[in-house]
Amino acid sequence: MNKLKEPNKVHEFDIPITMDDNTKKSFKGYRVQFNNARGPYKGGIRFHPQVDLDEVKALAFWMVIKTAVVGVPLGGGKGGVEVNPKELKETELEKISRGWVAEMADHIGPRVDVPAPDINTNPQTMEWMLDEYEKITNDTTRATFTGKPIESGGSEGREQATGQGGFYALEEIAQKLDLKPESSSIIVQGLGNVGYNFAVLAHNAGYKIVGMSDSKGAIYNAGGFDPEEIQKIKKEKGSVVDFEGVIKLTNEELLEQECDILAPAALENQLTSANAAKVKASVVLELANGPTTPKADKILWDKKIYVVPDVLANAGGVTVSYFEWDQNLKNQHWTEQEVLSKLEPIMKKAFQDIWKAHVDHNMDLRTSAFMLAVKRIISAMK
Ligand code: NAD
């Protein structure tokens, strides 16, 4: 157990680059390889001005838990660069991406450590990184990075994977609590990759999406929204709040509105000791990472509100990353249908395992998920 408290390896290094104006600059790079008892280290690389070692370590541990919760044969790691990508040119970001790989090439690889995109990194970043890695090592499996563009070995279905996985988790909890789609309402905070894909699936399955939001504000309509229509307005005019004829709210107010399922899909620390008691939903489905603080968790559990934890609810993303890695190693390319048909049983089994632990030990779902994951990791370490 003690061996799980600290990462196996920490890499901290400088990435010196020549900027477009010919000045020299150096950026701090990180990779934390937390635990690989269950398989190669797996986790994203974040470009952000606030990246530091403590944050990367915490996120790496989270990945160890997440891969164990869904039972895919991978460990956990995380990386980052302390940089504000909004202040840099694309050519400079490419140099940083290649510089990160030049530093880490001896320590990553298809059977060693498989990074992916995270905040402010994307398929293009992975393409640069893979290209640099191939030049240095001559490896052609393309399995060292996931989240790549399809034509560079990326997987079909990755775009909607996290929302889809969240939807499978919704179907499971709905069955346990006897929530019928036609009489259940959902609020989705955040209309990005995860929130939007989830909202479309839930809407198509018959759930009523009564509230939605983005960084500019929120809208509520007890009669329900069609998320595709809202997304169209957001694209045309800039925000969901530009949708006419419905109630406009702040993001804080949205979380306290009437609904059966509240799905935070934006930022961390949205449900806190200040607002958890005002939540009216019977389920919080954590599509975002870390939207509920520990104090809020306790308040929700005391109110008998089920929190489906992030390590389960948004694990569809890492599961499809695992599929990408697996396809690259086998030199295969699966159809979207194949990918989604493999995702469903993995998500559903993970839910059932956690539910069983919850029933057996009368613990909330997050504690049950952590207990199950730690058991799996320790047994692999032994
Ligand atoms: P995204 O950038 O595509 O979308 C984020 C959305 O949140 C945007 O609609 C943005 O307007 C909105 N937002 C920002 N600030 C807000 C605020 N204060 N209130 C309400 N909405 C706000 O990001 P994403 O990829 O959809 O990720 C969302 C969450 O899911 C993050 O916590 C991320 O870590 C987590 N997650 C994502 C994936 C993935 O595959 N994309 C996988 C696992 C976890």
Side-chain angles (χ1 to χ4, degrees):
M1 185 75 182
N2 268 345
K3 279 200 83 179
L4 249 187
K5 286 191 180 148
E6 284 299 319
N8 289 351
K9 282 187 197 155
V10 170
H11 304 265
E12 202 175 345
F13 46 91
D14 292 320
I15 306 172
I17 68 158
T18 304
M19 306 291 281
D20 280 7
D21 64 5
N22 258 331
T23 56
K24 307 264 187 224
K25 243 187 171 169
S26 187
F27 297 87
K28 195 115 208 120
Y30 301 94
R31 185 72 179 170
V32 171
Q33 298 175 318
F34 210 106
N35 187 285
N36 62 351
R38 303 185 55 269
Y41 301 108
K42 183 91 196 83
I45 302 172
R46 174 174 293 196
F47 284 6
H48 197 275
Q50 263 116 45
V51 162
D52 65 24
L53 189 55
D54 280 346
E55 182 189 65
V56 181
K57 271 190 195 172
L59 293 168
F61 178 72
W62 219 333
M63 288 305 299
V64 181
I65 297 292
K66 211 181 272 193
T67 52
V69 161
V70 277
V72 294
L74 294 167
K78 201 83 184 188
V81 178
E82 190 189 328
V83 57
N84 185 354
K86 295 192 178 93
E87 290 170 358
L88 264 67
K89 305 250 170 42
E90 211 192 15
T91 42
E92 296 164 339
L93 288 172
E94 179 175 350
K95 284 181 197 163
I96 291 180
S97 306
R98 290 181 183 277
W100 191 96
V101 173
E103 197 60 45
M104 284 300 300
D106 286 347
H107 310 283
I108 56 176
R111 303 281 180 194
V112 183
D113 183 351
V114 183
D118 194 68
I119 292 175
N120 294 328
T121 52
N122 53 36
Q124 172 66 78
T125 324
M126 295 302 109
E127 172 126 45
W128 291 327
M129 289 189 161
L130 178 67
D131 184 56
E132 191 65 24
Y133 183 76
E134 288 180 338
K135 275 189 198 154
I136 296 170
T137 64
N138 288 324
D139 180 278
T140 55
T141 61
R142 308 198 284 192
T144 304
F145 294 90
T146 62
K148 303 178 294 285
I150 300 278
E151 54 282 5
S152 301
S155 180
E156 304 289 344
R158 176 62 189 90
E159 182 73 16
Q160 66 271 41
T162 306
Q164 182 82 48
F167 176 71
Y168 291 141
L170 167 68
E171 287 191 311
E172 292 301 292
I173 188 100
Q175 205 183 17
K176 295 291 180 204
L177 304 183
D178 204 22
L179 295 170
K180 302 272 177 279
E182 57 280 6
S183 53
S184 302
S185 58
I186 304 184
I187 287 177
V188 185
Q189 184 198 37
L191 200 61
N193 169 289
V194 179
Y196 174 69
N197 282 301
F198 169 79
V200 170
L201 288 164
H203 172 75
N204 291 345
Y207 288 93
K208 215 192 296 172
I209 311 291
V210 292
M212 306 187 92
S213 71
D214 59 29
S215 57
K216 303 217 172 77
I219 49 176
Y220 187 88
N221 178 21
F225 295 111
D226 175 351
E228 292 182 72
E229 212 179 308
I230 304 298
Q231 178 79 329
K232 232 165 87 192
I233 297 287
K234 181 171 160 62
K235 280 201 169 139
E236 273 168 31
K237 301 191 172 169
S239 170
V240 298
V241 295
D242 296 313
F243 192 75
E244 304 289 338
V246 292
I247 300 169
K248 309 279 161 76
L249 300 167
T250 64
N251 257 295
E252 293 72 37
E253 290 166 337
L254 180 72
L255 302 173
E256 298 166 11
Q257 301 304 306
E258 286 293 342
C259 67
D260 297 294
I261 296 124
L262 176 60
L267 307 171
E268 58 281 2
N269 300 332
Q270 295 302 294
L271 297 171
T272 65
S273 54
N275 63 1
K278 298 179 198 152
V279 168
K280 298 194 179 69
S282 49
V283 174
V284 172
L285 185 68
E286 291 190 329
L287 299 176
N289 279 321
T292 314
T293 65
K295 279 187 183 154
D297 238 352
K298 180 161 185 335
I299 295 169
L300 295 170
W301 178 239
D302 288 346
K303 283 183 70 181
K304 305 268 175 299
I305 296 174
Y306 277 97
V307 177
V308 184
D310 45 13
V311 288
L312 170 66
N314 70 31
V318 75
T319 305
V320 173
S321 288
Y322 159 65
F323 294 157
E324 181 175 337
W325 174 75
D326 196 25
Q327 288 170 78
N328 294 152
L329 288 175
K330 293 175 176 152
N331 205 14
Q332 293 178 351
H333 188 77
W334 306 344
T335 62
E336 186 181 310
Q337 199 45 45
E338 279 177 277
V339 169
L340 297 181
S341 69
K342 288 174 203 277
L343 175 63
E344 183 169 2
I346 289 182
M347 290 300 300
K348 294 199 163 173
K349 176 168 187 319
F351 183 93
Q352 292 298 339
D353 290 347
I354 290 167
W355 189 266
K356 183 171 184 311
H358 150 70
V359 172
D360 288 351
H361 304 285
N362 191 27
M363 292 179 311
D364 62 90
L365 296 179
R366 193 187 315 280
T367 312
S368 306
F370 271 72
M371 194 189 79
L372 193 81
V374 168
K375 256 192 190 166
R376 286 175 178 167
I377 299 156
I378 288 179
S379 125
M381 284 165 85
K382 279 186 177 157

